[in-house]
Amino acid sequence: MKLLEKVGRKSLKICTCAVSFLALVIITSKCFAQSSTPQVNTQTSRQYMQQLYSVFDFVERNYVDEVEPKVLFEGAMRGLMDSLGDQFSYYLDAESMTSMNETTVGSFGGVGLSISKEVKSTADKPAFVEVVSAIEDTPGAKAGIQTGDLIVSINGTDTSTISMNDVLSLLRGPVGTEVSFVVKRGEMELPFTITRALIEVQTVKYTMIDKTGYLRILEFTPQTASRVREALKSFEKSGYKSLVVDLRNNPGGILSSAVEIADMFIDSGVIVSTKSRIQRENKVEFASAKNTIVPKGLPVVLLIDHNSASCSEVLSGALKDAKVAYLVGERSYGKGSVQLVVPIPPGDVGVRLTISRYYSPSDTNIHSIGIPPDLEIKNVSVNGEEEEKAFQNLIKDDVIKPYVASHPDMSEKDIASYAKTLSKKYPLDLRFLRRVIRVNVNRAREMPLYDKDYDEQLTKALEIANGGKFSSLMKSVKTLKEIETERLAQEEKASEK
């Protein structure tokens, strides 16, 4: 999708999680000279700018070794952005800008992981690369990389000692080449060798599950709203009686996309508001009945987890406060800010800067708090020291891959039987084992859109959507403002004791 060619150099607001997504959408905006900002102390600002220039000039002329001006410039820019103490605001060097443009176009070889990395690394908390999600049908997902995994080394390089740009450089490469890394999962360390492939990320996937429309939104791009509209029209033709919207592992994207999608569900009222010290960034987005597609009263269940971030939370918050959707899963990430990517002329480098915070229809900002589900359900995972050891042994012994290779076309019955056999040596939950086997079986095929056997959250969402008690359930749903008021009251009560 040649997004840059269509959008050109207009500004675009993004509300992503702290992610360098191997399919992240970031577009350039207006240059600094055109920026409209609140009044500042001009005299003080000029004084500091002059001091900065003087230090730059002095270092360049007097440092013991000759130093490139570009090195000094980039160091100053990183220091300036780091001084904000905001993990979502940072300097973008030429490589970062190029790689983001490449991911927008989709012409790069990689492993298909959405990742994040803290800027600062300490002995107590090394800044390893954290996997936010593995993109479906990519080498990373098929290899079994999971959300929450920590990539501690890539091709033998300790990831805590290198920048995000270096990480991207190591993960990316020509299609068909291999990359090796070590993943830390709990107390386990697991080795992986993955063959790079062309990463072309779909923003929306959908299908019918009996009479329920299942809509999975992977990220929010300029194309996402039109894809969601296509999905809803398809469900309508199929005669859907309920809808499940899956926002799990969705790191965010473009704010306008989330607003447009919310407008398909809500016929009136506020969708989201943004607040900033910049007057023109104080905006309120309203729903319009003419844009509504989802029938009023249709059971809508929304799936979220701790990796549902930013624009995912904009949509979740809007549907929750409007009381048109019931939320199932786990508390969301908690990112309530909006960023602008600004190129530094001539445009090969830039900065990503937080310019505003967004608020739900009930006027609540969920930054660092997240959105709690109406029903909390956690999927099966590896828990406890015994299970972690068993899973580590399972990966180390590498018994599943050769077994599946020698038993092509395994049925669900075959998978269940093999899982029982494995459980005798590796004491893990049978559903989890079936899931691991199933992922290996599907390596050479297109990964299925859903896995009801493993996915308890989806199973429960379908039960709620089709259980006939949706209207009564929605009566108990609280707005984010009501939840926040209760939370603050409880904290105040606890502090008085």
Side-chain angles (χ1 to χ4, degrees):
M1 56 180 178
K2 297 193 175 181
L3 181 59
L4 290 179
E5 294 177 8
K6 295 180 181 179
V7 178
R9 301 187 62 80
K10 295 181 180 179
S11 64
L12 190 64
K13 296 180 181 63
I14 57 176
C15 51
T16 59
C17 177
V19 171
S20 275
F21 192 26
L22 299 191
L24 182 66
V25 176
I26 296 195
I27 313 272
T28 58
S29 71
K30 299 176 183 178
C31 67
F32 291 102
Q34 298 171 323
S35 177
S36 174
T37 58
Q39 291 295 319
V40 294
N41 189 323
T42 305
Q43 184 175 352
T44 302
S45 295
R46 285 178 178 172
Q47 177 184 342
Y48 283 123
M49 289 171 68
Q50 182 61 44
Q51 289 176 349
L52 182 62
Y53 171 77
S54 297
V55 172
F56 185 103
D57 183 64
F58 180 80
V59 171
E60 183 183 16
R61 291 175 181 274
N62 295 282
Y63 183 63
V64 64
D65 296 320
E66 186 175 350
V67 59
E68 288 287 335
K70 179 181 178 182
V71 173
L72 297 179
F73 167 76
E74 294 197 334
M77 289 302 302
R78 289 193 175 92
L80 187 152
M81 300 306 294
D82 287 350
S83 71
L84 299 174
D86 176 12
Q87 68 183 113
F88 304 108
S89 297
Y90 46 82
Y91 170 69
L92 297 166
D93 62 16
E95 186 177 1
S96 298
M97 293 287 280
T98 299
S99 65
M100 287 180 180
N101 291 342
E102 285 176 351
T103 56
T104 304
V105 176
S107 58
F108 64 92
V111 295
L113 299 178
S114 171
I115 57 176
S116 66
K117 189 181 190 300
E118 293 291 338
V119 176
K120 295 182 179 179
S121 181
T122 64
D124 295 333
K125 191 177 180 181
F128 294 128
V129 174
E130 181 175 357
V131 176
V132 175
S133 64
I135 304 168
E136 291 185 13
D137 298 330
T138 63
K142 292 181 178 182
I145 304 298
Q146 298 179 9
T147 295
D149 284 350
L150 295 176
I151 302 176
V152 298
S153 69
I154 305 173
N155 290 339
T157 301
D158 184 342
T159 61
S160 69
T161 64
I162 59 177
S163 67
M164 178 62 86
N165 292 333
D166 294 330
V167 171
L168 294 176
S169 296
L170 289 171
L171 288 176
R172 289 181 175 181
V175 173
T177 59
E178 290 187 340
V179 57
S180 298
F181 46 88
V182 175
V183 161
K184 186 174 183 181
R185 185 175 300 166
E187 297 302 317
M188 304 177 289
E189 287 200 352
L190 312 171
F192 289 90
T193 298
I194 299 178
T195 302
R196 297 181 180 94
L198 183 66
I199 306 301
E200 296 178 347
V201 182
Q202 290 180 264
T203 62
V204 173
K205 295 185 178 183
Y206 61 93
T207 188
M208 290 291 294
I209 305 177
D210 298 324
K211 287 295 181 179
T212 301
Y214 175 65
L215 170 65
R216 185 164 190 180
I217 304 176
L218 303 174
E219 60 171 320
F220 294 89
T221 74
Q223 285 76 34
T224 303
S226 62
R227 299 293 179 265
V228 169
R229 191 175 290 108
E230 290 173 6
L232 294 175
K233 293 296 185 182
S234 174
F235 295 153
E236 186 179 346
K237 289 181 181 179
S238 299
Y240 74 133
K241 302 299 182 184
S242 59
L243 176 64
V244 172
V245 181
D246 194 344
L247 293 177
R248 292 173 298 179
N249 295 317
N250 184 321
I254 299 172
L255 180 59
S256 59
S257 177
V259 170
E260 190 175 348
I261 293 168
D263 204 3
M264 300 176 195
F265 291 78
I266 305 170
D267 58 9
S268 63
V270 175
I271 293 175
V272 67
S273 61
T274 55
K275 299 181 183 181
S276 171
R277 71 189 185 103
I278 306 172
Q279 188 60 38
R280 60 184 168 79
E281 297 302 334
N282 293 314
K283 298 179 180 179
V284 181
E285 300 286 351
F286 292 94
S288 173
K290 68 179 181 180
N291 298 322
T292 306
I293 297 176
V294 178
K296 197 166 187 175
L298 183 84
V300 178
V301 181
L302 199 150
L303 289 168
I304 58 173
D305 65 9
H306 58 282
N307 293 310
S308 302
S310 209
C311 285
S312 295
E313 294 168 302
V314 169
L315 180 56
S316 301
L319 299 191
K320 181 174 176 59
D321 278 356
K323 298 193 175 183
V324 300
Y326 191 81
L327 275 57
V328 172
E330 302 171 65
R331 184 180 290 270
S332 64
Y333 182 89
K335 178 181 179 293
S337 59
V338 180
Q339 284 71 43
L340 190 68
V341 172
V342 186
I344 301 172
D348 58 333
V349 298
V351 295
R352 184 176 187 263
L353 185 70
T354 297
I355 57 168
S356 63
R357 294 185 176 90
Y358 68 78
Y359 291 74
S360 75
S362 64
D363 198 33
T364 304
N365 180 262
I366 51 78
H367 199 73
S368 301
I369 299 171
I371 298 175
D374 299 306
L375 178 64
E376 183 177 37
I377 294 180
K378 295 185 178 182
N379 274 328
V380 176
S381 60
V382 176
N383 295 308
E385 187 176 335
E386 184 179 347
E387 287 193 356
E388 286 187 354
K389 185 176 180 181
F391 184 60
Q392 191 169 18
N393 290 334
L394 178 63
I395 296 296
K396 182 180 178 181
D397 295 344
D398 193 24
V399 295
I400 296 179
K401 192 182 298 183
Y403 183 90
V404 169
S406 62
H407 296 77
D409 303 318
M410 288 179 70
S411 65
E412 281 297 319
K413 185 177 179 181
D414 297 329
I415 290 173
S417 175
Y418 184 44
K420 286 183 178 179
T421 301
L422 285 176
S423 67
K424 295 174 183 177
K425 184 176 180 181
Y426 309 98
L428 294 161
D429 185 282
L430 284 174
R431 273 194 302 158
F432 181 79
L433 281 172
R434 289 196 295 270
R435 171 68 172 176
V436 175
I437 298 167
R438 195 176 293 115
V439 167
N440 278 270
V441 169
N442 289 322
R443 282 182 190 278
R445 316 171 189 172
E446 183 177 354
M447 294 286 285
L449 184 53
Y450 60 89
D451 186 348
K452 287 172 64 177
D453 175 58
Y454 170 77
D455 196 341
E456 188 175 351
Q457 293 171 342
L458 174 59
T459 300
K460 191 63 180 180
L462 292 168
E463 288 179 12
I464 292 171
N466 301 298
K469 298 180 180 180
F470 187 78
S471 296
S472 59
L473 272 176
M474 290 303 296
K475 291 178 182 178
S476 65
V477 169
K478 298 176 181 178
T479 65
L480 292 176
K481 175 63 74 176
E482 290 170 332
I483 293 171
E484 179 66 3
T485 300
E486 289 179 1
R487 184 184 70 84
L488 293 174
Q490 289 172 358
E491 288 182 357
E492 183 177 352
K493 187 176 181 179
S495 64
E496 292 175 352
K497 291 182 179 179

